[in-house]
Amino acid sequence: MAKAAIGDLEGGIALCAWFESVPSFHDATLRELELRQGAPSRLVAHAFQMTSEVDAHGYFVLTKHVDVTFSIFELIEVQLFDFTEAGIIFAFSIEIDPDGTTLSFEPGYGVHGRIKAKRIVVSFQPHPTGSS
C-alpha cells in the first residue's frame, strides 16, 4: 500500500482548498459511522483548524469548524475496536493500492481501526464560526 493524502481522494482537493492547507484531523470528533453492505457507507468527522492563538482560559483558538463526510463505496474490509458512543481521532491516515483505499484512524479516545473500500469520496459542510 502507498501512503496518500486527503487531496488524493475524490473531493479532497476542495477540502484542502477550503482549509487553505491539508487538515490533520487531530482531535476531530467522530460524529457518525454507518457501515452498510450493498449500499454506500459513511464516516462523518467534525474537524477544525487549531491556531497558535490562546483564549482567555488558556485554550488554543479553534477555527474553520467543518463536518467532513467520507462516503464509502463497496466495503472490502473493516476492523474497528473500542466502539463507544463517541470517538476522538488522534491520527488519521490514508493508503491506496490497486484493490482500494484504506482509511485508518488511531484513537485519542474511543473507536479506532481501519476501513478499506473500492472508492471513498470526501465532502464537507462548514459550520458558522465557533459552532460545533
Side-chain angles (χ1 to χ4, degrees), residues 52-74:
S52 58
E53 295 176 52
V54 178
D55 67 14
H57 301 287
Y59 296 106
F60 286 108
V61 175
L62 307 177
T63 63
K64 296 202 174 208
H65 291 264
V66 63
D67 280 342
V68 179
T69 299
F70 295 88
S71 298
I72 303 164
F73 299 91
E74 297 183 59

Side-chain angles (χ1 to χ4, degrees), residues 82-105:
D82 296 330
F83 201 85
T84 60
E85 67 210 57
I88 305 295
I89 296 170
F90 176 76
F92 184 85
S93 64
I94 301 166
E95 296 181 50
I96 298 175
D97 67 28
D99 295 329
T101 301
T102 302
L103 298 179
S104 297
F105 44 104

Side-chain angles (χ1 to χ4, degrees), residues 5-29:
I6 194 148
D8 296 322
L9 299 178
E10 185 179 331
I13 290 174
L15 178 65
C16 292
W18 183 81
F19 263 106
E20 300 176 4
S21 65
V22 177
S24 74
F25 291 91
H26 177 73
D27 284 345
T29 304

Side-chain angles (χ1 to χ4, degrees), residues 35-46:
L35 301 175
R36 302 180 71 185
Q37 281 295 104
S41 299
R42 63 190 234 144
L43 181 151
V44 179
H46 176 80

